[in-house]
Amino acid sequence: MDKIKIIEVKQSIFQDNDKDAEKLRGELKEKKTFLLNLMSSPGGGKTTFLKALAPRLKDISMGVMEADIDSDVDAEAMKEAGIRTIQLHTGGMCHLDASMTRQGLEEFGTEGLDLVVLENVGNLVCPAEFDTGAVRNAVILSVPEGHDKPLKYPLMFQVAHALIINKIDTLPYFDFDLEKVKEYALMRNPNLKIFPISAKTGEGMDKVKEWLENEVKAWIS
Amino acid sequence: MDKIKIIEVKQSIFQDNDKDAEKLRGELKEKKTFLLNLMSSPGGGKTTFLKALAPRLKDISMGVMEADIDSDVDAEAMKEAGIRTIQLHTGGMCHLDASMTRQGLEEFGTEGLDLVVLENVGNLVCPAEFDTGAVRNAVILSVPEGHDKPLKYPLMFQVAHALIINKIDTLPYFDFDLEKVKEYALMRNPNLKIFPISAKTGEGMDKVKEWLENEVKAWIS
């Protein structure tokens, strides 16, 4: 198999990011490519989620852009799972903006892909502050992190369209209140779709897959 | 009990942070106050660790400055545990610099405290980029986050003096390789002290307490 392509993406300091993100969404619409911006804390389970998602997608094709400060461990994991992937390095930055995302998409090449997932840098703060140009934002919160996170990282839950609560197979081992986290998250964002899952066991994966497939089909049709 | 004091700290854009941090360390040395900068991902267990640490400290007095984007849930937890505390709000910033730390210390008042812990914003990226003026940096990495984190967040492990591996009571439920994480972390920083603990069960707490007490005593003597 080919070596993983690693791209150093650089933030543009001259552009208006919100405007640029809108422009990128327009370009994606024209190309019939759906971009999902997937965010979480470090170790929330983004990579494991994508590995669980890939074999469940029947009617749409997916590629993954892995963003990281350094290393290519996630892109390696994607490659091993047979998922088309590219590694973006942010050069120390803890987020991606629309310009960095566009650089990644151009190098990746989106031909033949209905869905591109941008696996953002593991972080609940900065990635929420920059519109990447994605059609939808999803945040993964994992059970071991605790149910108070929507109180502590408000913007992340405000900008997300979907909240994926991961590692629910470990609920017996942590003081995590599923009802409370839903209440706190909906307080931040009443329109949030909430999906409790275990990417490891597969529980709940079908529902989030269904949501995503419907979103992608609506966008590319 | 009194209400928790909440301070909005603001970043200085004019100062040279490294210089300012050195200056703050000098001031702390003069006042015989040891400042520990405690960092981790969201949900890594900083607050639980401090609650487990407090009753174990016999010869030194501790206060905690809780930094957060928003909310005061951690300061509330400290207050309930009978720990002297103050809440710092970063106004959306994902880190604290030396100037913000100084503002916090001035409002907190360090008289009678040998040790002040700055519980930094939950984040493995930005907090590592700014010297807060602390005497020592500690990072907590929790088992559910995975052992690959020193590969993905190199700077955090480079700037840390101590790595606290938390939630080891959950090792049976996660694919976490304790030897690998030590190897990766020491690759980043060969001088790193490593303490596997469970703040929940208390396992390993005495060793990290001993390290910290020795550091504090050396600083204030």
Side-chain angles (χ1 to χ4, degrees), chain A residues 41-43 68-71 73-74 92 94 121-126 129 144-145 148-149 151-154 167 170 173-175 188 200, chain B residues 41-43 68-71 73-74 92-94 121-126 129 144-145 148-149 151-154 167 170 173-175 188 200:
Chain A
S41 294
D68 222 333
I69 304 287
D70 205 351
S71 96
V73 289
D74 291 339
C94 62
V121 180
N123 192 310
L124 289 186
V125 185
C126 338
E129 293 165 8
E145 294 172 62
D148 60 353
K149 292 302 161 290
L151 299 178
K152 302 178 72 177
Y153 302 93
K167 308 190 190 177
T170 68
Y173 316 116
F174 293 95
D175 305 319
R188 296 294 180 201
K200 196 174 171 184
Chain B
S41 294
D68 222 334
I69 304 287
D70 204 352
S71 96
V73 290
D74 291 339
M93 301 289 294
C94 61
V121 180
N123 193 309
L124 289 186
V125 186
C126 337
E129 294 165 8
E145 293 171 62
D148 60 354
K149 293 302 161 287
L151 299 178
K152 301 178 72 177
Y153 303 93
K167 307 190 192 180
T170 67
Y173 316 117
F174 294 95
D175 306 319
R188 296 297 181 197
K200 198 174 170 185

Short mmCIF file of all heavy atoms in Angstrom, two decimals, chain A residues 41-43 68-71 73-74 92 94 121-126 129 144-145 148-149 151-154 167 170 173-175 188 200, chain B residues 41-43 68-71 73-74 92-94 121-126 129 144-145 148-149 151-154 167 170 173-175 188 200:
data_model
loop_
_atom_site.label_atom_id
_atom_site.label_comp_id
_atom_site.label_asym_id
_atom_site.label_seq_id
_atom_site.Cartn_x
_atom_site.Cartn_y
_atom_site.Cartn_z
N SER A 41 -12.29 15.57 22.84
CA SER A 41 -11.09 15.64 23.67
C SER A 41 -10.07 14.65 23.13
O SER A 41 -10.43 13.74 22.39
CB SER A 41 -11.41 15.20 25.10
OG SER A 41 -12.27 16.08 25.73
N PRO A 42 -8.81 14.78 23.56
CA PRO A 42 -7.86 13.71 23.24
C PRO A 42 -8.39 12.39 23.81
O PRO A 42 -8.85 12.35 24.95
CB PRO A 42 -6.59 14.14 23.99
CG PRO A 42 -6.71 15.63 24.15
CD PRO A 42 -8.17 15.88 24.34
N GLY A 43 -8.34 11.35 23.02
CA GLY A 43 -8.76 10.04 23.54
C GLY A 43 -10.26 9.85 23.66
O GLY A 43 -10.71 8.91 24.29
N ASP A 68 -3.62 16.58 13.03
CA ASP A 68 -2.89 16.35 14.26
C ASP A 68 -1.78 17.39 14.37
O ASP A 68 -1.33 17.93 13.37
CB ASP A 68 -2.29 14.93 14.27
CG ASP A 68 -2.45 14.26 15.62
OD1 ASP A 68 -2.54 14.95 16.65
OD2 ASP A 68 -2.48 13.01 15.64
N ILE A 69 -1.38 17.65 15.58
CA ILE A 69 -0.24 18.52 15.83
C ILE A 69 1.00 17.87 15.21
O ILE A 69 1.80 18.49 14.55
CB ILE A 69 0.01 18.64 17.36
CG1 ILE A 69 -1.23 19.13 18.08
CG2 ILE A 69 1.24 19.49 17.64
CD1 ILE A 69 -1.53 20.56 17.90
N ASP A 70 1.11 16.60 15.48
CA ASP A 70 2.29 15.85 15.06
C ASP A 70 1.84 14.38 14.92
O ASP A 70 0.72 14.05 15.21
CB ASP A 70 3.36 15.97 16.15
CG ASP A 70 4.78 15.76 15.59
OD1 ASP A 70 4.90 15.36 14.42
OD2 ASP A 70 5.74 16.00 16.32
N SER A 71 2.70 13.53 14.47
CA SER A 71 2.47 12.08 14.37
C SER A 71 1.46 11.72 13.29
O SER A 71 0.71 12.56 12.80
CB SER A 71 1.98 11.49 15.71
OG SER A 71 0.57 11.38 15.76
N VAL A 73 -0.29 8.54 13.74
CA VAL A 73 -0.84 7.28 14.27
C VAL A 73 -2.28 7.07 13.84
O VAL A 73 -2.70 5.94 13.58
CB VAL A 73 -0.71 7.17 15.82
CG1 VAL A 73 0.74 6.96 16.22
CG2 VAL A 73 -1.29 8.38 16.53
N ASP A 74 -3.08 8.16 13.75
CA ASP A 74 -4.48 7.99 13.37
C ASP A 74 -4.62 7.64 11.89
O ASP A 74 -5.44 6.80 11.51
CB ASP A 74 -5.27 9.26 13.69
CG ASP A 74 -5.41 9.47 15.19
OD1 ASP A 74 -5.26 8.50 15.94
OD2 ASP A 74 -5.69 10.61 15.60
N GLY A 92 1.58 22.74 15.25
CA GLY A 92 1.42 23.24 16.62
C GLY A 92 0.06 23.85 16.90
O GLY A 92 -0.33 24.02 18.04
N CYS A 94 -3.89 24.26 17.44
CA CYS A 94 -4.82 23.32 18.07
C CYS A 94 -6.17 23.29 17.36
O CYS A 94 -7.16 22.84 17.91
CB CYS A 94 -5.00 23.67 19.54
SG CYS A 94 -5.69 25.30 19.81
N VAL A 121 -8.20 18.22 15.58
CA VAL A 121 -7.26 18.03 16.69
C VAL A 121 -8.05 17.76 17.97
O VAL A 121 -9.10 18.35 18.20
CB VAL A 121 -6.38 19.30 16.86
CG1 VAL A 121 -5.39 19.13 18.00
CG2 VAL A 121 -5.65 19.62 15.57
N GLY A 122 -7.56 16.83 18.79
CA GLY A 122 -8.25 16.48 20.03
C GLY A 122 -8.24 17.65 21.01
O GLY A 122 -7.20 17.96 21.59
N ASN A 123 -9.40 18.28 21.19
CA ASN A 123 -9.44 19.54 21.93
C ASN A 123 -10.88 20.00 21.99
O ASN A 123 -11.57 19.99 20.97
CB ASN A 123 -8.59 20.57 21.16
CG ASN A 123 -8.29 21.82 21.95
OD1 ASN A 123 -9.18 22.43 22.52
ND2 ASN A 123 -7.03 22.19 21.98
N LEU A 124 -11.37 20.40 23.15
CA LEU A 124 -12.76 20.86 23.25
C LEU A 124 -12.89 22.39 23.18
O LEU A 124 -13.98 22.92 23.31
CB LEU A 124 -13.41 20.38 24.56
CG LEU A 124 -13.72 18.88 24.68
CD1 LEU A 124 -14.49 18.61 25.97
CD2 LEU A 124 -14.53 18.38 23.48
N VAL A 125 -11.75 23.08 22.98
CA VAL A 125 -11.82 24.54 23.01
C VAL A 125 -11.65 25.14 21.62
O VAL A 125 -12.61 25.50 20.95
CB VAL A 125 -10.77 25.13 23.99
CG1 VAL A 125 -10.94 26.64 24.09
CG2 VAL A 125 -10.90 24.50 25.36
N CYS A 126 -10.39 25.20 21.15
CA CYS A 126 -10.10 25.95 19.92
C CYS A 126 -10.85 25.45 18.68
O CYS A 126 -11.33 26.28 17.90
CB CYS A 126 -8.61 25.98 19.62
SG CYS A 126 -7.54 25.70 21.01
N GLU A 129 -13.99 27.20 17.86
CA GLU A 129 -13.96 28.63 17.55
C GLU A 129 -13.80 28.93 16.06
O GLU A 129 -13.95 30.07 15.64
CB GLU A 129 -12.81 29.31 18.31
CG GLU A 129 -13.03 29.29 19.81
CD GLU A 129 -11.76 29.62 20.59
OE1 GLU A 129 -10.75 30.01 19.96
OE2 GLU A 129 -11.78 29.48 21.82
N PRO A 144 -15.74 8.35 30.27
CA PRO A 144 -14.75 8.62 31.32
C PRO A 144 -14.47 10.10 31.55
O PRO A 144 -13.92 10.48 32.58
CB PRO A 144 -13.48 7.91 30.79
CG PRO A 144 -13.99 6.88 29.86
CD PRO A 144 -15.21 7.48 29.22
N GLU A 145 -14.83 10.97 30.59
CA GLU A 145 -14.56 12.40 30.74
C GLU A 145 -15.49 13.09 31.74
O GLU A 145 -15.18 14.18 32.22
CB GLU A 145 -14.69 13.11 29.39
CG GLU A 145 -13.65 12.69 28.39
CD GLU A 145 -13.95 13.26 27.02
OE1 GLU A 145 -13.96 14.49 26.86
OE2 GLU A 145 -14.18 12.48 26.08
N ASP A 148 -20.08 16.62 33.16
CA ASP A 148 -20.12 18.08 33.35
C ASP A 148 -19.52 18.86 32.18
O ASP A 148 -19.49 20.09 32.21
CB ASP A 148 -19.42 18.47 34.66
CG ASP A 148 -17.95 18.05 34.69
OD1 ASP A 148 -17.51 17.34 33.75
OD2 ASP A 148 -17.25 18.42 35.65
N LYS A 149 -19.07 18.17 31.15
CA LYS A 149 -18.34 18.86 30.08
C LYS A 149 -19.15 19.92 29.33
O LYS A 149 -18.58 20.96 28.98
CB LYS A 149 -17.70 17.84 29.11
CG LYS A 149 -16.58 17.02 29.76
CD LYS A 149 -15.47 17.87 30.30
CE LYS A 149 -14.59 17.16 31.33
NZ LYS A 149 -15.23 16.89 32.64
N LEU A 151 -21.08 21.96 30.58
CA LEU A 151 -21.03 23.16 31.43
C LEU A 151 -19.69 23.87 31.27
O LEU A 151 -19.62 25.09 31.33
CB LEU A 151 -21.21 22.77 32.91
CG LEU A 151 -22.52 22.10 33.30
CD1 LEU A 151 -22.52 21.75 34.78
CD2 LEU A 151 -23.71 23.01 32.97
N LYS A 152 -18.64 23.08 31.05
CA LYS A 152 -17.29 23.65 31.05
C LYS A 152 -16.79 24.08 29.68
O LYS A 152 -15.89 24.89 29.58
CB LYS A 152 -16.33 22.64 31.67
CG LYS A 152 -16.75 22.26 33.10
CD LYS A 152 -15.85 21.24 33.70
CE LYS A 152 -14.51 21.82 34.03
NZ LYS A 152 -13.65 20.82 34.70
N TYR A 153 -17.36 23.51 28.64
CA TYR A 153 -16.92 23.84 27.28
C TYR A 153 -18.14 24.22 26.45
O TYR A 153 -18.51 23.51 25.50
CB TYR A 153 -16.15 22.66 26.66
CG TYR A 153 -14.96 22.29 27.52
CD1 TYR A 153 -15.06 21.32 28.51
CD2 TYR A 153 -13.76 22.99 27.40
CE1 TYR A 153 -13.98 21.03 29.34
CE2 TYR A 153 -12.69 22.71 28.21
CZ TYR A 153 -12.80 21.72 29.18
OH TYR A 153 -11.74 21.44 30.00
N PRO A 154 -18.80 25.33 26.81
CA PRO A 154 -20.10 25.66 26.22
C PRO A 154 -20.08 25.79 24.70
O PRO A 154 -20.98 25.26 24.02
CB PRO A 154 -20.47 26.99 26.88
CG PRO A 154 -19.26 27.49 27.57
CD PRO A 154 -18.38 26.31 27.84
N LYS A 167 -18.20 5.27 24.44
CA LYS A 167 -17.72 4.39 25.53
C LYS A 167 -18.81 4.10 26.55
O LYS A 167 -18.51 3.98 27.75
CB LYS A 167 -16.46 4.98 26.20
CG LYS A 167 -15.34 5.36 25.22
CD LYS A 167 -14.02 5.70 25.92
CE LYS A 167 -13.01 6.30 24.92
NZ LYS A 167 -11.75 6.73 25.50
N THR A 170 -18.56 1.43 29.21
CA THR A 170 -17.83 1.61 30.48
C THR A 170 -18.66 2.35 31.53
O THR A 170 -18.13 2.71 32.58
CB THR A 170 -16.50 2.36 30.25
OG1 THR A 170 -16.78 3.72 29.87
CG2 THR A 170 -15.65 1.71 29.17
N TYR A 173 -18.38 1.67 35.30
CA TYR A 173 -17.12 1.92 36.02
C TYR A 173 -16.89 3.41 36.30
O TYR A 173 -15.88 3.78 36.88
CB TYR A 173 -15.94 1.36 35.23
CG TYR A 173 -16.21 -0.02 34.69
CD1 TYR A 173 -16.25 -0.27 33.33
CD2 TYR A 173 -16.49 -1.07 35.57
CE1 TYR A 173 -16.55 -1.53 32.85
CE2 TYR A 173 -16.80 -2.33 35.10
CZ TYR A 173 -16.82 -2.55 33.73
OH TYR A 173 -17.12 -3.79 33.25
N PHE A 174 -17.81 4.27 35.84
CA PHE A 174 -17.61 5.71 36.03
C PHE A 174 -18.88 6.35 36.59
O PHE A 174 -19.98 5.87 36.35
CB PHE A 174 -17.24 6.37 34.69
CG PHE A 174 -15.90 5.95 34.18
CD1 PHE A 174 -15.79 4.91 33.26
CD2 PHE A 174 -14.75 6.57 34.62
CE1 PHE A 174 -14.56 4.49 32.79
CE2 PHE A 174 -13.50 6.17 34.15
CZ PHE A 174 -13.40 5.13 33.24
N ASP A 175 -18.70 7.44 37.33
CA ASP A 175 -19.85 8.20 37.82
C ASP A 175 -20.28 9.15 36.70
O ASP A 175 -19.95 10.34 36.73
CB ASP A 175 -19.46 9.01 39.07
CG ASP A 175 -18.87 8.11 40.14
OD1 ASP A 175 -19.39 7.00 40.33
OD2 ASP A 175 -17.88 8.53 40.78
N ARG A 188 -27.33 23.99 26.23
CA ARG A 188 -26.43 24.75 25.36
C ARG A 188 -27.00 24.86 23.96
O ARG A 188 -26.75 25.83 23.25
CB ARG A 188 -25.05 24.07 25.27
CG ARG A 188 -24.28 24.01 26.56
CD ARG A 188 -23.90 25.36 27.05
NE ARG A 188 -23.15 25.33 28.30
CZ ARG A 188 -23.06 26.38 29.12
NH1 ARG A 188 -23.65 27.51 28.83
NH2 ARG A 188 -22.36 26.28 30.23
N LYS A 200 -16.63 0.61 20.40
CA LYS A 200 -15.93 -0.66 20.63
C LYS A 200 -16.87 -1.85 20.44
O LYS A 200 -16.54 -2.80 19.74
CB LYS A 200 -15.37 -0.65 22.05
CG LYS A 200 -14.31 -1.68 22.34
CD LYS A 200 -13.77 -1.44 23.74
CE LYS A 200 -12.86 -2.56 24.22
NZ LYS A 200 -12.42 -2.34 25.61
N SER B 41 -6.18 16.62 29.68
CA SER B 41 -7.34 16.68 28.80
C SER B 41 -8.57 17.00 29.63
O SER B 41 -8.55 16.83 30.85
CB SER B 41 -7.60 15.31 28.16
OG SER B 41 -6.58 14.94 27.30
N PRO B 42 -9.67 17.41 28.99
CA PRO B 42 -10.93 17.50 29.73
C PRO B 42 -11.25 16.12 30.32
O PRO B 42 -11.13 15.10 29.64
CB PRO B 42 -11.95 17.85 28.64
CG PRO B 42 -11.15 18.50 27.56
CD PRO B 42 -9.83 17.78 27.57
N GLY B 43 -11.61 16.10 31.57
CA GLY B 43 -12.01 14.83 32.19
C GLY B 43 -10.87 13.90 32.55
O GLY B 43 -11.08 12.73 32.84
N ASP B 68 -10.95 28.02 34.10
CA ASP B 68 -11.95 27.42 33.23
C ASP B 68 -12.40 28.47 32.22
O ASP B 68 -12.29 29.66 32.45
CB ASP B 68 -13.14 26.94 34.06
CG ASP B 68 -13.64 25.57 33.60
OD1 ASP B 68 -13.43 25.23 32.42
OD2 ASP B 68 -14.21 24.86 34.42
N ILE B 69 -12.87 27.99 31.07
CA ILE B 69 -13.46 28.86 30.07
C ILE B 69 -14.69 29.52 30.69
O ILE B 69 -14.93 30.71 30.56
CB ILE B 69 -13.95 28.00 28.86
CG1 ILE B 69 -12.83 27.17 28.28
CG2 ILE B 69 -14.62 28.89 27.82
CD1 ILE B 69 -11.83 27.93 27.50
N ASP B 70 -15.47 28.71 31.35
CA ASP B 70 -16.75 29.14 31.90
C ASP B 70 -17.04 28.22 33.09
O ASP B 70 -16.30 27.29 33.35
CB ASP B 70 -17.82 29.00 30.82
CG ASP B 70 -19.00 29.93 31.07
OD1 ASP B 70 -19.06 30.57 32.12
OD2 ASP B 70 -19.86 30.02 30.18
N SER B 71 -18.08 28.45 33.80
CA SER B 71 -18.56 27.60 34.90
C SER B 71 -17.67 27.65 36.12
O SER B 71 -16.52 28.11 36.06
CB SER B 71 -18.72 26.14 34.47
OG SER B 71 -17.59 25.36 34.81
N VAL B 73 -17.83 24.74 38.35
CA VAL B 73 -18.09 23.42 38.94
C VAL B 73 -16.87 22.88 39.69
O VAL B 73 -17.02 22.24 40.72
CB VAL B 73 -18.58 22.37 37.89
CG1 VAL B 73 -19.99 22.71 37.42
CG2 VAL B 73 -17.66 22.28 36.70
N ASP B 74 -15.66 23.17 39.18
CA ASP B 74 -14.47 22.64 39.85
C ASP B 74 -14.19 23.38 41.16
O ASP B 74 -13.84 22.76 42.16
CB ASP B 74 -13.24 22.75 38.93
CG ASP B 74 -13.35 21.78 37.76
OD1 ASP B 74 -14.11 20.80 37.86
OD2 ASP B 74 -12.66 22.01 36.75
N GLY B 92 -12.85 32.47 27.25
CA GLY B 92 -12.76 31.74 25.98
C GLY B 92 -11.37 31.23 25.66
O GLY B 92 -11.22 30.34 24.82
N MET B 93 -10.34 31.77 26.31
CA MET B 93 -8.96 31.34 26.03
C MET B 93 -8.75 29.92 26.56
O MET B 93 -9.24 29.57 27.62
CB MET B 93 -7.94 32.24 26.73
CG MET B 93 -8.02 33.69 26.36
SD MET B 93 -7.45 33.99 24.68
CE MET B 93 -5.71 33.58 24.86
N CYS B 94 -7.95 29.16 25.82
CA CYS B 94 -7.74 27.76 26.20
C CYS B 94 -6.47 27.56 27.03
O CYS B 94 -5.98 26.45 27.16
CB CYS B 94 -7.72 26.87 24.97
SG CYS B 94 -6.40 27.28 23.84
N VAL B 121 -6.80 24.99 32.14
CA VAL B 121 -7.92 24.60 31.29
C VAL B 121 -7.67 23.19 30.74
O VAL B 121 -6.54 22.86 30.40
CB VAL B 121 -8.10 25.61 30.14
CG1 VAL B 121 -9.26 25.21 29.24
CG2 VAL B 121 -8.29 27.01 30.68
N GLY B 122 -8.69 22.37 30.68
CA GLY B 122 -8.56 21.00 30.19
C GLY B 122 -8.21 20.99 28.71
O GLY B 122 -9.06 21.27 27.87
N ASN B 123 -6.95 20.64 28.39
CA ASN B 123 -6.47 20.82 27.03
C ASN B 123 -5.02 20.32 26.98
O ASN B 123 -4.23 20.67 27.85
CB ASN B 123 -6.52 22.33 26.71
CG ASN B 123 -6.34 22.65 25.25
OD1 ASN B 123 -5.40 22.17 24.63
ND2 ASN B 123 -7.23 23.44 24.70
N LEU B 124 -4.67 19.54 25.99
CA LEU B 124 -3.29 19.04 25.89
C LEU B 124 -2.43 19.88 24.94
O LEU B 124 -1.27 19.56 24.72
CB LEU B 124 -3.26 17.58 25.44
CG LEU B 124 -3.74 16.51 26.44
CD1 LEU B 124 -3.50 15.11 25.88
CD2 LEU B 124 -3.06 16.65 27.80
N VAL B 125 -3.01 20.93 24.37
CA VAL B 125 -2.26 21.69 23.38
C VAL B 125 -1.82 23.06 23.93
O VAL B 125 -0.69 23.23 24.37
CB VAL B 125 -3.06 21.87 22.07
CG1 VAL B 125 -2.21 22.55 21.00
CG2 VAL B 125 -3.56 20.53 21.55
N CYS B 126 -2.75 24.02 23.94
CA CYS B 126 -2.36 25.41 24.24
C CYS B 126 -1.70 25.59 25.60
O CYS B 126 -0.73 26.36 25.70
CB CYS B 126 -3.56 26.35 24.14
SG CYS B 126 -4.90 25.78 23.12
N GLU B 129 1.96 25.58 25.67
CA GLU B 129 2.69 26.60 24.91
C GLU B 129 3.03 27.85 25.72
O GLU B 129 3.79 28.70 25.27
CB GLU B 129 1.88 27.01 23.67
CG GLU B 129 1.73 25.88 22.67
CD GLU B 129 0.64 26.16 21.65
OE1 GLU B 129 0.10 27.27 21.61
OE2 GLU B 129 0.33 25.23 20.88
N PRO B 144 -8.35 5.93 30.06
CA PRO B 144 -9.28 5.86 28.93
C PRO B 144 -8.84 6.67 27.71
O PRO B 144 -9.34 6.43 26.61
CB PRO B 144 -10.58 6.44 29.51
CG PRO B 144 -10.46 6.27 30.99
CD PRO B 144 -9.01 6.43 31.28
N GLU B 145 -7.91 7.60 27.87
CA GLU B 145 -7.47 8.42 26.73
C GLU B 145 -6.55 7.68 25.76
O GLU B 145 -6.39 8.10 24.62
CB GLU B 145 -6.73 9.66 27.24
CG GLU B 145 -7.61 10.63 28.00
CD GLU B 145 -6.78 11.72 28.66
OE1 GLU B 145 -6.12 12.48 27.94
OE2 GLU B 145 -6.78 11.81 29.90
N ASP B 148 -1.26 6.43 23.35
CA ASP B 148 -0.56 7.07 22.23
C ASP B 148 -0.43 8.59 22.40
O ASP B 148 0.13 9.27 21.54
CB ASP B 148 -1.25 6.75 20.89
CG ASP B 148 -2.70 7.22 20.86
OD1 ASP B 148 -3.21 7.69 21.90
OD2 ASP B 148 -3.33 7.12 19.79
N LYS B 149 -0.93 9.13 23.49
CA LYS B 149 -0.99 10.59 23.63
C LYS B 149 0.37 11.29 23.61
O LYS B 149 0.49 12.37 23.04
CB LYS B 149 -1.81 10.98 24.86
CG LYS B 149 -3.30 10.64 24.74
CD LYS B 149 -3.94 11.28 23.54
CE LYS B 149 -5.26 10.63 23.13
NZ LYS B 149 -5.12 9.29 22.48
N LEU B 151 2.74 10.64 21.74
CA LEU B 151 3.09 10.74 20.33
C LEU B 151 2.34 11.90 19.68
O LEU B 151 2.85 12.56 18.78
CB LEU B 151 2.73 9.44 19.59
CG LEU B 151 3.43 8.16 20.05
CD1 LEU B 151 2.94 6.97 19.24
CD2 LEU B 151 4.95 8.31 19.91
N LYS B 152 1.11 12.13 20.14
CA LYS B 152 0.24 13.08 19.47
C LYS B 152 0.32 14.50 20.04
O LYS B 152 -0.03 15.45 19.36
CB LYS B 152 -1.20 12.58 19.52
CG LYS B 152 -1.35 11.21 18.85
CD LYS B 152 -2.74 10.67 18.93
CE LYS B 152 -3.67 11.43 18.03
NZ LYS B 152 -5.03 10.86 18.05
N TYR B 153 0.74 14.61 21.29
CA TYR B 153 0.83 15.93 21.93
C TYR B 153 2.23 16.10 22.52
O TYR B 153 2.40 16.17 23.73
CB TYR B 153 -0.27 16.07 22.99
CG TYR B 153 -1.64 15.86 22.39
CD1 TYR B 153 -2.24 14.60 22.39
CD2 TYR B 153 -2.30 16.92 21.76
CE1 TYR B 153 -3.48 14.40 21.78
CE2 TYR B 153 -3.53 16.73 21.16
CZ TYR B 153 -4.11 15.46 21.17
OH TYR B 153 -5.32 15.28 20.56
N PRO B 154 3.24 16.14 21.65
CA PRO B 154 4.63 16.09 22.12
C PRO B 154 5.00 17.20 23.10
O PRO B 154 5.64 16.94 24.11
CB PRO B 154 5.44 16.21 20.83
CG PRO B 154 4.51 16.63 19.76
CD PRO B 154 3.14 16.21 20.17
N LYS B 167 -6.51 6.96 36.79
CA LYS B 167 -7.58 5.99 36.52
C LYS B 167 -7.02 4.60 36.21
O LYS B 167 -7.58 3.86 35.39
CB LYS B 167 -8.50 6.47 35.37
CG LYS B 167 -9.07 7.87 35.58
CD LYS B 167 -10.15 8.25 34.58
CE LYS B 167 -10.47 9.74 34.66
NZ LYS B 167 -11.51 10.19 33.71
N THR B 170 -9.10 1.45 36.10
CA THR B 170 -9.90 1.05 34.94
C THR B 170 -9.06 0.35 33.87
O THR B 170 -9.56 0.09 32.76
CB THR B 170 -10.61 2.28 34.29
OG1 THR B 170 -9.62 3.14 33.70
CG2 THR B 170 -11.40 3.07 35.32
N TYR B 173 -10.44 -2.43 31.62
CA TYR B 173 -11.52 -2.15 30.66
C TYR B 173 -11.04 -1.42 29.41
O TYR B 173 -11.84 -1.11 28.53
CB TYR B 173 -12.63 -1.35 31.35
CG TYR B 173 -12.96 -1.88 32.71
CD1 TYR B 173 -12.76 -1.13 33.86
CD2 TYR B 173 -13.44 -3.19 32.86
CE1 TYR B 173 -13.03 -1.65 35.11
CE2 TYR B 173 -13.71 -3.71 34.12
CZ TYR B 173 -13.50 -2.93 35.24
OH TYR B 173 -13.75 -3.44 36.47
N PHE B 174 -9.78 -1.10 29.34
CA PHE B 174 -9.27 -0.34 28.19
C PHE B 174 -8.01 -0.99 27.63
O PHE B 174 -7.26 -1.64 28.37
CB PHE B 174 -8.97 1.11 28.60
CG PHE B 174 -10.19 1.88 28.97
CD1 PHE B 174 -10.59 1.98 30.29
CD2 PHE B 174 -10.98 2.48 27.99
CE1 PHE B 174 -11.75 2.68 30.64
CE2 PHE B 174 -12.12 3.18 28.33
CZ PHE B 174 -12.50 3.28 29.66
N ASP B 175 -7.78 -0.79 26.35
CA ASP B 175 -6.55 -1.25 25.72
C ASP B 175 -5.48 -0.20 25.95
O ASP B 175 -5.19 0.62 25.07
CB ASP B 175 -6.76 -1.45 24.21
CG ASP B 175 -7.94 -2.38 23.94
OD1 ASP B 175 -8.08 -3.38 24.66
OD2 ASP B 175 -8.73 -2.07 23.01
N ARG B 188 9.94 11.64 24.72
CA ARG B 188 9.73 13.09 24.65
C ARG B 188 10.57 13.82 25.69
O ARG B 188 10.99 14.95 25.48
CB ARG B 188 8.25 13.44 24.90
CG ARG B 188 7.28 12.91 23.85
CD ARG B 188 7.56 13.51 22.50
NE ARG B 188 6.63 13.03 21.48
CZ ARG B 188 6.86 13.13 20.18
NH1 ARG B 188 7.97 13.68 19.73
NH2 ARG B 188 5.97 12.69 19.32
N LYS B 200 -9.24 7.89 42.46
CA LYS B 200 -10.50 7.37 43.01
C LYS B 200 -10.24 6.38 44.16
O LYS B 200 -10.83 6.50 45.22
CB LYS B 200 -11.28 6.68 41.88
CG LYS B 200 -12.74 6.46 42.17
CD LYS B 200 -13.41 5.91 40.90
CE LYS B 200 -14.81 5.42 41.13
NZ LYS B 200 -15.36 4.80 39.90
#
